């Protein structure tokens, strides 16, 4: 909220989320998107695919956003190779042009940033470096908020960057989340305890368990204390994330249900 307020007021902010798969990074980005939209901020949400042939995903998405929102996006023009210079030099000029452009602030929500291709990564790093350089300039004309989500915390934290690691939920919070997800379904304490242990503090696993229990017991009936925990495939590992990361957030939710 503080970072979004700052962007709306013409400031720049960087927030870096990290955590294992299923720890709630994508959900946190979704909440940030809603908060930004309620403030009337132009928001771009990008989920980077693992591998593949996609290139310049960030720049292309910004361009599509420009056509949809009908506002200026001339700050991307220096990225064109016809303007000369190395890719690094062109992204530097684009980052400088962003803050010089008389346009509304933007909020970038970058999920799975650790899978970003080179072009997008260079552009994001240039924008973050420019944010840090302008930190001491109180009259910055255009605001910017970049919120990234990765599996691992950054080795080198950019200047003006807030980091937030999403670790496993403790037993109390995991229990509260499970009971909230179950709604009107009442579970024996023994079943709740085993479900919390099975989830290991992972919000994704808690959602999976609650969905399975709701589907089986929604029609009513007493749930026995000896009910078996549903079997699920393991949370996607780093070695198997390429295919998983191609899916957009909504498609992932559908895949989890299936």
């Amino acid at each position: 909220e503080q970072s979004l307020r700052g962007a709306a007021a013409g400031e720049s902010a960087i927030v870096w989320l990290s955590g294992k798969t299923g720890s709630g990074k994508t959900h946190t980005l979704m909440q940030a998107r809603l908060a930004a939209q309620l403030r009337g901020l132009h928001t771009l949400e990008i989920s980077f695919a693992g591998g593949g042939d996609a290139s310049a995903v960030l720049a292309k998405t910004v361009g599509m956003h420009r056509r949809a929102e009908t506002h200026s996006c001339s700050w991307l023009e220096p990225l064109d190779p016809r303007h000369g210079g190395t890719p690094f030099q062109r992204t530097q000029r684009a980052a400088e042009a962003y803050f010089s452009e008389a346009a509304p602030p933007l909020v970038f929500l970058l999920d799975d940033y650790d899978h970003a291709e080179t072009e997008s990564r260079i552009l994001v790093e240039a924008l973050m470096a420019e944010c840090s350089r302008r930190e001491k300039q109180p009259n910055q004309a255009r605001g910017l908020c970049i919120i990234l989500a990765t599996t691992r915390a950054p080795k080198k934290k950019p200047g003006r960057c807030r980091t937030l690691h999403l670790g496993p939920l403790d037993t109390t919070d995991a229990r509260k989340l499970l009971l909230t997800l179950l709604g009107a379904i009442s579970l024996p304490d023994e079943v709740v305890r085993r479900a919390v242990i099975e989830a290991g503090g992972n919000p994704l696993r808690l959602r999976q368990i609650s969905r399975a229990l709701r589907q089986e017991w929604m029609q009513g009936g007493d749930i026995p204390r000896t009910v078996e925990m549903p079997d699920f495939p393991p949370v996607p590992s780093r070695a198997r994330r390429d295919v998983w990361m191609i899916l957009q957030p909504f498609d992932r939710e559908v895949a989890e249900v299936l």
Side-chain angles (χ1 to χ4, degrees):
E1 285 286 348
Q2 182 180 352
S3 299
L4 295 175
R5 285 196 301 269
E11 301 174 0
S12 56
I14 305 167
V15 180
W16 200 307
L17 306 174
S18 64
K20 294 181 179 180
T21 301
S23 60
K25 300 185 300 296
T26 298
H27 180 75
T28 302
L29 289 176
M30 292 172 61
Q31 295 301 312
R33 180 193 65 195
L34 293 175
Q37 291 173 340
L38 288 174
R39 292 182 177 277
L41 295 170
H42 294 285
T43 306
L44 290 88
E45 185 178 20
I46 303 172
S47 179
F48 290 99
D53 299 324
S55 63
V57 173
L58 179 58
K60 291 176 182 177
T61 303
V62 174
M64 290 187 292
H65 178 75
R66 174 193 60 185
R67 292 190 289 273
E69 300 290 342
T70 64
H71 69 266
S72 173
C73 205
S74 60
W75 66 277
L76 288 175
E77 292 179 4
L79 296 177
D80 193 319
R82 291 176 296 180
H83 290 281
T86 65
F88 178 75
Q89 291 170 332
R90 294 198 299 272
T91 54
Q92 277 188 314
R93 294 198 293 265
E96 293 171 0
Y98 172 88
F99 291 100
S100 301
E101 190 174 79
L106 293 179
V107 177
F108 292 105
L109 305 176
L110 310 179
D111 202 0
D112 305 310
Y113 178 67
D114 34 8
H115 291 271
E117 26 64 55
T118 302
E119 293 93 332
S120 294
R121 186 175 293 275
I122 293 176
L123 179 55
V124 171
E125 290 175 355
L127 286 169
M128 292 193 294
E130 191 65 16
C131 286
S132 300
R133 192 179 73 81
R134 292 172 177 262
E135 183 175 0
K136 298 181 181 180
Q137 297 183 11
N139 297 321
Q140 180 175 306
R142 189 180 189 187
L144 174 65
C145 180
I146 301 176
I147 305 179
L148 314 92
T150 59
T151 303
R152 298 180 180 179
K155 294 181 180 179
K156 182 179 179 181
K157 187 175 75 170
R160 199 179 179 80
C161 176
R162 297 185 180 92
T163 57
L164 176 62
H165 180 72
L166 303 181
L169 299 176
D170 61 31
T171 302
T172 301
D173 289 338
R175 179 186 176 89
K176 289 180 180 178
L177 177 58
L178 177 63
L179 294 178
T180 299
L181 293 170
L182 288 171
I185 295 180
S186 178
L187 286 182
D189 287 341
E190 173 61 20
V191 178
V192 173
R193 186 186 69 81
R194 287 193 287 115
V196 168
I197 293 175
E198 173 72 19
N202 188 294
L204 170 61
R205 187 65 80 209
L206 287 167
R207 289 199 300 272
Q208 292 175 330
I209 291 174
S210 67
R211 285 172 183 155
L213 291 174
R214 285 172 62 87
Q215 289 175 355
E216 184 172 356
W217 300 97
M218 182 64 75
Q219 303 304 320
D222 294 331
I223 301 178
R225 297 177 57 185
T226 57
V227 65
E228 294 293 330
M229 288 295 102
D231 292 326
F232 298 107
V235 173
S237 64
R238 190 175 184 86
R240 293 166 39 201
R241 283 172 62 86
D242 283 357
V243 174
W244 182 256
M245 288 304 120
I246 294 174
L247 300 176
Q248 294 299 313
F250 175 77
D251 296 322
R252 289 189 213 172
E253 292 288 332
V254 174
E256 289 167 12
V257 173
L258 293 174

